[in-house]
Amino acid sequence: MQKEQQPLLEEYRLGDLKLKNRVVMASLTRGRTTNPELVPTPLMAEYYAQRASAGLILTEGVWPSKKAIGFINVPGIFTPEQVEGWKSVTDAVHAKGGKIFVQLGHTGTISHPDYFDGELPAGPSAINPQTRSFTPEGFKDTVTPREFTVAEIKETIQDYKQATLNAKNAGFDGVEIHAQIGMLIPQFLSITTNKRTDEYGGSIENRARIIFEILDALLEVWDSTRIAIKFTPVAISNVGIVVPDEFTIPTYRYIAEKLNDYNLAYLHIAGPAEALNGTVVEALQEDFFSHFRKNYHGTLMANLGFTQESGNAIIKDGIADLVSYGAYYVANPDLVERFEYHIPLAEANTDLYYTGGENGYTDYPKADYTKFASGHFGSDR
Ligand SMILES: Cc1cc2nc3c(=O)[nH]c(=O)nc-3n(C[C@H](O)[C@H](O)[C@H](O)COP(=O)(O)O)c2cc1C
């Protein structure tokens, strides 16, 4: 397939931003922020700049506040020093002609007392999410957390707003709210982890309220076309008690439809990682992304398990506008060029996903295009 026949390599207009192609680097937590202040480092700037040929880079999930912390060696964007650190990252990416959004994530109840001097983590309800916390001493079982007061919910929303202002000041092109399963927002969405009886619990509208209150707060500091959100509606394994239920489909339909009023940069959806047959969300198995395309009229970014071929196909078929790639980007900083010249993809060392300094991080080489410029190599999974 030649470049001109690859929808993935076509430009895309995202609000007032021009993306040079439709290949997006999905968020990848890499655990390289090994300083106690959680300030992004020059090594991180080098890593992101290496990947600047992507149409858009999404950073790893980043803490909007101290209370959001729940994994080790993950950077924040809530102190002046962190904002300065991020400026070096955004400058390095922009110098290479790239665009970069920061992903803002809050771990809520899956965090651990080890991060809060023994105090309990907090979230929608005092219910143990029954999964694992990634603590400085390794994985530990989650605990029964504390329930947020309404004042704390409002405070959390303000933390997202301040982090977005910080992102703007740090030179980012936009922000993506991290609402994948495991994180705070899906804890509010799920009937198993949200037993609140106030305006943040009960009905679908109430459980989803925090999303729209966060978005409304962000709109006070940035244009809607610089704001995005990422969901994994049907995660099944390793998700503790936040499993799909009879409310999952109507909940995400409600969210997608309501997001139509927001004119966001994009809606980012991760598809199923496994077959949904026999589950309560079986109806989404066929043409998963079409369900969102039908209900959501803005830019749709598709994720999870895409190859070069299936990424080109979903854009060509008009079902998604952008495709994000996660794991491929670990070992293929030049993924776009590899797609362009059909160069075989490099394999990542998964032992170095979350540790190893520059090893398994900035030391994956670019391919030698001169060898491949006229080649016809497949690069599929
Ligand atoms: C090492 C690693 C770290 C990840 N960290 C994040 C993260 O911080 N935020 C997020 O939304 N997704 C994260 N993901 C999920 C990816 O963004 C993506 O949704 C997932 O890998 C599926 O896409 P893929 O099949 O192209 O890899 C991570 C995935 C991997 C492999």
Side-chain angles (χ1 to χ4, degrees):
M1 199 189 274
Q2 298 303 307
K3 177 178 178 177
E4 60 274 15
Q5 294 169 312
Q6 291 200 53
L8 276 172
L9 302 183
E10 287 168 4
E11 286 180 356
Y12 189 76
R13 188 157 275 286
L14 198 66
D16 61 340
L17 296 174
K18 196 166 88 181
L19 308 189
K20 56 196 172 196
N21 57 62
R22 293 158 184 249
V23 177
V24 176
M25 175 182 169
S27 293
L28 295 169
T29 293
R30 303 302 313 277
R32 263 44 176 207
T33 319
T34 47
N35 59 81
E37 297 78 25
L38 305 180
V39 171
T41 66
L43 184 68
M44 290 167 60
E46 181 187 344
Y47 163 81
Y48 283 114
Q50 286 174 345
R51 286 153 179 78
S53 64
L56 178 64
I57 292 173
L58 307 176
T59 69
E60 59 215 281
V62 170
W63 312 126
S65 69
K66 203 163 186 281
K67 291 176 188 154
I69 295 175
F71 312 132
I72 54 163
N73 303 333
V74 168
I77 189 158
F78 54 87
T79 70
E81 294 74 23
Q82 291 165 351
V83 172
E84 283 307 306
W86 282 119
K87 275 185 191 161
S88 309
V89 173
T90 59
D91 283 348
V93 170
H94 290 150
K96 290 267 181 74
K99 299 268 191 289
I100 182 165
F101 276 32
V102 63
Q103 189 190 51
L104 301 177
H106 191 306
T107 50
T109 62
I110 67 156
S111 188
H112 196 274
D114 289 0
Y115 286 110
F116 308 115
D117 298 324
E119 299 282 315
L120 291 174
S125 295
I127 291 171
N128 188 330
Q130 291 175 32
T131 177
R132 293 183 312 164
S133 296
F134 193 2
T135 81
E137 292 167 13
F139 284 108
K140 292 188 181 177
D141 288 342
T142 48
V143 300
T144 300
R146 202 171 49 72
E147 178 173 310
F148 269 154
T149 61
V150 170
E152 279 176 302
I153 295 176
K154 304 284 185 202
E155 214 177 280
T156 304
I157 292 166
Q158 288 309 306
D159 290 340
Y160 274 93
K161 178 177 167 182
Q162 182 60 49
T164 300
L165 196 55
N166 293 348
K168 205 173 169 182
N169 292 333
F172 280 105
D173 297 297
V175 298
E176 181 183 272
I177 309 290
H178 185 357
Q180 297 226 91
I181 298 295
M183 307 302 281
L184 180 71
I185 290 172
Q187 292 164 18
F188 271 90
L189 294 178
S190 172
I191 50 164
T192 57
T193 45
N194 182 351
K195 302 284 186 196
R196 299 181 74 93
T197 53
D198 59 12
E199 68 269 34
Y200 293 99
S203 65
I204 288 175
E205 192 181 351
N206 281 356
R207 282 186 275 111
R209 184 177 305 282
I210 189 168
I211 296 172
F212 299 100
E213 291 192 354
I214 290 172
L215 291 175
D216 290 339
L218 268 46
L219 288 177
E220 290 170 20
V221 294
W222 217 341
D223 190 78
S224 67
T225 60
R226 301 304 188 100
I227 298 164
I229 190 158
K230 179 183 185 188
F231 294 102
T232 44
V234 292
I236 290 171
S237 300
N238 304 317
V239 291
I241 56 174
V242 183
V243 288
D245 55 48
E246 71 269 31
F247 295 106
T248 301
I249 292 176
T251 298
Y252 283 98
R253 185 183 304 132
Y254 168 78
I255 293 168
E257 284 174 355
K258 194 166 164 70
L259 286 176
N260 284 323
D261 300 336
Y262 278 80
N263 189 33
L264 296 183
Y266 58 84
L267 170 61
H268 190 180
I269 299 283
E274 51 219 314
L276 303 176
N277 310 64
T279 72
V280 69
V281 286
E282 186 170 40
L284 296 181
Q285 174 76 45
E286 281 293 306
D287 303 324
F288 178 84
F289 292 98
S290 302
H291 297 274
F292 291 89
R293 193 59 151 184
K294 243 184 276 157
N295 296 314
Y296 182 69
H297 310 311
T299 295
L300 188 63
M301 185 185 294
N303 171 250
L304 208 140
F306 280 91
T307 62
Q308 177 176 6
E309 193 182 6
S310 60
N312 276 314
I314 196 166
I315 295 175
K316 181 167 172 284
D317 293 345
I319 296 166
D321 305 292
L322 301 165
V323 179
S324 74
Y325 294 89
Y328 277 177
Y329 258 109
V330 173
N332 298 278
D334 52 347
L335 187 66
V336 169
E337 291 85 349
R338 287 177 191 248
F339 282 175
E340 187 172 336
Y341 297 112
H342 298 276
I343 301 171
L345 300 186
E347 287 281 328
N349 179 349
T350 56
D351 291 342
L352 299 174
Y353 266 3
Y354 304 108
T355 185
E358 61 186 56
N359 295 331
Y361 189 57
T362 47
D363 60 353
Y364 289 108
K366 292 188 173 178
D368 177 358
Y369 312 120
T370 54
K371 274 208 318 228
F372 292 97
S374 59
H376 297 282
F377 295 87
S379 57
D380 259 341
R381 288 176 194 217

